[in-house]
């Protein structure tokens, strides 16, 4: 029934004709060029078909376009192209944010100066030289949501992860930003030795880190979905994970000494957390897509969780707890209009929570809280037996089942909920209906962060038993709120989780016995419950 098809396309690219398979010229409307840096008319292309679309009938047409300023030079041998917008991207429905719901077969031929190297999504099936040009053809062997490329004067460093080849395309010369930093620290009177800021210097380390990320996520989420993973540095402060191709900020290609010397402190966007976050998008966004903007939190939130998980397994528990605390404090912080970020809207609302007066709210919500959703599910599904060979076994099975069920397909929030319910433990059934309605109602579809106060007393009950009594008081949320609150006891100088309090009321009475003196008791020691705690 659709008569108009809508595409995303960079406003620097101008369309001069659109024809159907019979060669008939079609009417189109394109966004006007940006007049100045403060005024944009959007980046879109609307194509009018001769007749409404019919179910089962294939429509084929050709878009011819060209333009400048899509690729910019940012240093000797350094070039930057946006990862999106350089080809018409089909917007599947009227619902915004569904860019990753579709999957397409890409066959792309690139032409660039032969002294440079080009890498793209898919597999390189052909390479030839035509005069001073290098001509390469790239095909996707499975349908992909998006396509991308990077190009420049690269040195390529490779490592193997099983049959997967990890390729780092590192610029030989620093880009303009890095070169300027290099000049500043080399200026008279500045005492700082940072060495070379060429991305090549850290390329082997990047290859190792990305390879270890793949190993970690294959263990938790299932097989890596592509034949190789290419990583290219970009002259920007963000990263982008495309299928089989990751763009990493130039700032991630610096070692810890350089970061501390130049900036004084480490930003998460410069660390292994950020690299792992982007690597995990091979699963979250590509292997499993999202159906609409309501479900995009499962891409960015799951990637946030993945970066935190990798930090825990690679570094130590302290670094992991710092990451979780930072996520929680971000949600409890106030935006420019004094709204608590968490109160602005739910993760399910996605980018509808963004607006002109508080544009940063959305990313905090879907990244931080979306990540916490998985953190809490992992906690609730973990095996409490300290001798368990793999406490995360149930959680891994759930995540792998989700990936397998929606392999190269889009998934909705309810799709994920249905899979999670298949793997929930009896203890998670707080409403007695074998559903996770309570959990999704609060943490996915709703807002709110509970405050807990825990007071207790321990007495010798005789017969080798110790009686624990007390109260768990909750405030800050509705009376219908429910949580599984993890409780820890002290053992050999460490706090060990041994049980959960099912807090289904505002005031929960604590009364149980233990065969050992628990010593000190605490709740939520590992920050795995999104809540504020007063011990």
């Amino acid at each position: 029934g659709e008569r108009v098809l809508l595409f995303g396309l960079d406003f620097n690219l101008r369309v001069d004709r659109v024809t159907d398979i019979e060669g008939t010229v079609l009417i189109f409307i394109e966004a006007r060029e940006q007049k100045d840096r403060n005024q944009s008319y959007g980046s879109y292309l609307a194509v009018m078909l001769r007749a409404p679309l019919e179910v089962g009938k294939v429509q084929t047409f050709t878009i011819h376009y060209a333009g400048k300023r899509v690729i910019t030079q940012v240093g000797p041998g350094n070039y930057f192209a946006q990862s999106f917008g350089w080809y018409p991207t089909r917007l599947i429905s009227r619902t915004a944010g569904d860019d990753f719901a579709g999957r397409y077969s890409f066959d792309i031929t690139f032409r660039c100066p032969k002294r440079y190297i080009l890498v793209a999504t898919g597999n390189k099936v052909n390479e030839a030289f035509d005069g001073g040009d290098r001509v390469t053809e790239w095909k996707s062997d499975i349908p992909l949501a998006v396509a991308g490329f990077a190009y420049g004067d690269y040195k390529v460093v490779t490592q193997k992860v099983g049959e997967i080849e990890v390729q780092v395309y590192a610029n030989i010369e620093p880009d303009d930003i890095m070169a300027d930093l290099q000049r500043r620290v080399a200026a008279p009177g500045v005492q700082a030795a940072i060495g070379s800021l060429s991305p090549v210097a850290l390329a082997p380390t990047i290859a190792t880190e990305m390879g270890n990320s793949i190993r970690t996520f294959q263990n938790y989420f299932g097989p890596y979905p592509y034949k190789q993973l290419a990583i290219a540095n970009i002259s920007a402060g963000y990263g982008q994970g495309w299928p089989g191709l990751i763009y990493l900020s130039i700032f991630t290609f610096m070692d810890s000494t350089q970061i501390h010397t130049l900036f004084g402190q480490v930003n998460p966007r410069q660390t292994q957390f950020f690299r792992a976050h982007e690597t995990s998008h091979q699963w979250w966004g590509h292997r499993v897509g999202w159906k609409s903007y309501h479900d995009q939190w499962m891409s960015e939130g799951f990637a946030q969780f993945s970066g935190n998980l990798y930090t825990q397994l690679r570094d130590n528990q302290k670094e992991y707890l710092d990451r979780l605390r930072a996520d929680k404090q971000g949600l409890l912080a106030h935006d420019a209009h004094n709204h608590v970020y968490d109160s602005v809207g739910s993760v399910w609302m996605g980018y509808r929570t963004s607006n002109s007066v508080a544009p940063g709210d959305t990313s905090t919500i879907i990244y931080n809280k979306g990540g916490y959703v998985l953190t809490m599910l992992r906690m609730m599904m973990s095996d409490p037996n300290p001798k368990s060979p793999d406490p995360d076994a149930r959680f891994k099975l759930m995540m792998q089942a989700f990936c397998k069920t929606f392999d190269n397909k889009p998934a909705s929030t309810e799709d994920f909920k249905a899979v999670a319910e298949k793997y929930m433990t009896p203890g998670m059934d707080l409403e007695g209906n074998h559903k996770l309605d309570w959990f999704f109602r609060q943490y996915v579809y709703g807002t709110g962060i509970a405050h807990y106060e825990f007071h207790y007393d321990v007495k010798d009950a005789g017969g080798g038993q110790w009686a624990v009594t007390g109260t768990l008081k909750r405030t800050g949320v509705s009376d219908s709120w429910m949580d599984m609150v993890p409780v820890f006891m002290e053992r050999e100088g460490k706090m060990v989780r041994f049980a959960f309090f099912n807090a289904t009321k505002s005031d929960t009475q604590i009364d149980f016995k233990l065969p050992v003196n628990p010593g000190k008791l605490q709740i939520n020691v590992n920050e795995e419950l999104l809540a504020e705690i007063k011990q």
Side-chain angles (χ1 to χ4, degrees):
E2 293 286 348
R3 183 69 184 274
V4 179
L5 299 183
L6 192 62
F7 297 86
L9 187 66
D10 190 300
F11 57 78
N12 287 305
L13 296 168
R14 312 311 298 165
V15 177
D16 60 18
R17 68 179 179 275
V18 180
T19 56
D20 64 17
I21 196 169
E22 297 172 355
T24 303
V25 176
L26 301 179
I27 297 172
F28 65 88
I29 298 174
E30 189 176 14
R32 294 163 59 191
E33 288 189 80
Q34 187 169 328
K35 298 302 181 183
D36 59 62
R37 66 178 183 172
N38 298 315
Q39 178 63 57
S40 172
Y41 296 100
S43 298
Y44 68 87
L45 169 71
V47 177
M48 285 56 163
L49 304 179
R50 289 192 294 162
L53 290 172
E54 298 178 24
V55 175
K57 183 178 180 181
V58 176
Q59 293 276 350
T60 302
F61 54 95
T62 302
I63 301 171
H64 189 270
Y65 63 97
K68 299 180 179 180
R69 299 190 299 275
V70 174
I71 302 173
T72 56
Q73 185 168 5
V74 291
N78 285 256
Y79 294 87
F80 176 69
Q82 289 283 358
S83 51
F84 49 86
W86 56 273
Y87 67 93
T89 306
R90 177 84 166 93
L91 302 180
I92 294 174
S93 71
R94 297 185 183 90
T95 305
D98 59 3
D99 316 43
F100 282 61
R103 294 292 186 270
Y104 311 95
S105 296
F106 289 93
D107 182 349
I108 312 175
T109 299
F110 294 94
R111 180 182 294 267
C112 72
K114 68 179 181 181
R115 65 183 182 276
Y116 295 140
I117 296 175
L118 186 142
V119 59
T121 48
N123 302 307
K124 184 166 66 175
V125 297
N126 192 30
E127 182 171 30
F129 296 95
D130 181 10
D133 291 341
R134 181 193 300 267
V135 183
T136 55
E137 183 182 5
W138 301 76
K139 284 186 178 181
S140 55
D141 51 4
I142 61 173
L144 307 176
V146 289
F149 71 95
Y151 127 94
D153 187 10
Y154 293 132
K155 179 180 179 181
V156 184
V157 176
T158 64
Q159 285 194 17
K160 280 280 198 176
V161 179
E163 296 300 313
I164 304 161
E165 186 168 81
V166 179
Q167 310 159 342
V168 178
Y169 290 77
N171 277 114
I172 295 173
E173 294 293 330
D175 66 9
D176 290 340
I177 295 174
M178 292 294 106
D180 182 61
L181 287 173
Q182 192 95 51
R183 285 191 295 270
R184 289 171 184 264
V185 297
V190 178
Q191 300 297 319
I194 61 171
S196 172
L197 289 179
S198 166
V200 168
L202 207 65
T205 300
I206 297 292
T208 299
E209 289 283 1
M210 304 302 265
N212 289 338
S213 295
I214 289 175
R215 292 185 183 94
T216 300
F217 300 145
Q218 285 194 126
N219 182 27
Y220 273 81
F221 310 141
Y224 177 77
Y226 311 108
K227 293 180 180 178
Q228 67 275 324
L229 176 63
I231 301 100
N233 62 267
I234 56 172
S235 182
Y238 73 95
Q240 187 84 65
W242 261 203
L245 174 62
I246 294 178
Y247 306 91
L248 279 184
S249 163
I250 190 65
F251 296 112
T252 69
F253 280 74
M254 303 192 324
D255 62 33
S256 58
T257 300
Q258 292 170 333
I259 292 171
H260 281 287
T261 301
L262 292 171
F263 306 109
Q265 61 182 3
V266 177
N267 185 300
R269 287 183 174 270
Q270 298 170 310
T271 66
Q272 68 279 352
F273 158 80
F274 180 70
R275 301 179 193 118
H277 174 111
E278 295 302 335
T279 304
S280 75
H281 277 306
Q282 303 302 301
W283 285 264
W284 313 125
H286 297 301
R287 187 177 181 193
V288 180
W290 63 83
K291 286 184 177 176
S292 80
Y293 71 91
H294 283 305
D295 314 306
Q296 192 172 353
W297 70 273
M298 293 191 299
S299 174
E300 295 299 354
F302 283 24
Q304 187 84 350
F305 165 84
S306 301
N308 290 342
L309 172 69
Y310 184 71
T311 299
Q312 180 188 30
L313 300 179
R314 178 194 183 274
D315 295 331
N316 52 57
Q317 187 71 2
K318 180 183 181 303
E319 293 291 332
Y320 175 63
L321 295 182
D322 287 345
R323 289 290 319 132
L324 291 182
R325 291 186 183 114
D327 287 347
K328 181 172 71 174
Q329 291 308 313
L331 289 165
L332 291 168
H334 292 73
D335 66 15
H337 292 265
N338 207 34
H339 301 130
V340 175
Y341 279 98
D342 177 75
S343 70
V344 173
S346 68
V347 294
W348 188 75
M349 285 180 66
Y351 281 90
R352 284 178 62 194
T353 59
S354 182
N355 58 74
S356 59
V357 296
D361 291 14
T362 294
S363 58
T364 300
I365 293 167
I366 67 173
Y367 282 68
N368 296 21
K369 197 165 189 178
Y372 244 112
V373 168
L374 277 194
T375 297
M376 289 186 284
L377 287 173
R378 179 193 180 199
M379 168 194 71
M380 292 187 289
M381 291 181 177
S382 63
D383 188 343
N385 185 351
K387 296 182 179 180
S388 172
D390 187 359
D392 285 336
R394 182 188 292 264
F395 176 77
K396 290 177 182 177
L397 288 174
M398 177 192 71
M399 299 304 289
Q400 291 166 13
F402 183 53
C403 281
K404 185 175 181 180
T405 302
F406 296 95
D407 191 5
N408 214 32
K409 300 175 186 175
S412 70
T413 298
E414 285 298 305
D415 290 331
F416 174 65
K417 177 175 177 287
V419 173
E421 287 171 345
K422 292 180 180 179
Y423 291 89
M424 63 187 286
T425 66
M428 295 167 69
D429 193 7
L430 297 188
E431 291 184 307
N433 57 3
H434 199 68
K435 298 285 186 181
L436 288 173
D437 296 345
W438 67 272
F439 181 78
F440 278 75
R441 182 173 62 244
Q442 295 170 180
Y443 292 108
V444 177
Y445 298 121
T447 63
I449 295 177
H451 299 233
Y452 284 100
E453 289 188 33
F454 177 42
H455 302 281
Y456 70 94
D457 185 46
V458 179
K459 292 183 178 179
D460 187 344
Q465 297 288 305
W466 297 82
V468 180
T469 57
T471 59
L472 183 65
K473 184 178 179 62
R474 181 180 62 232
T475 57
V477 290
S478 67
D479 290 341
S480 61
W481 196 272
M482 299 180 179
D483 273 319
M484 287 178 64
V485 180
V487 57
F488 295 71
M489 71 168 68
E490 190 174 15
R491 278 290 167 269
E492 299 178 356
K494 296 181 180 180
M495 299 304 294
V496 179
R497 186 176 68 215
F498 72 96
F500 289 97
F501 293 147
N502 287 345
T504 58
K505 299 178 181 179
S506 297
D507 290 288
T508 300
Q509 298 302 308
I510 307 301
D511 188 357
F512 61 94
K513 292 182 179 179
L514 290 171
V516 295
N517 186 343
K520 183 168 64 174
L521 294 177
Q522 286 185 301
I523 59 173
N524 204 32
V525 170
N526 290 339
E527 299 285 355
E528 295 163 304
L529 175 67
L530 181 55
E532 289 198 276
I533 307 297
K534 183 177 181 180
Q535 304 283 3

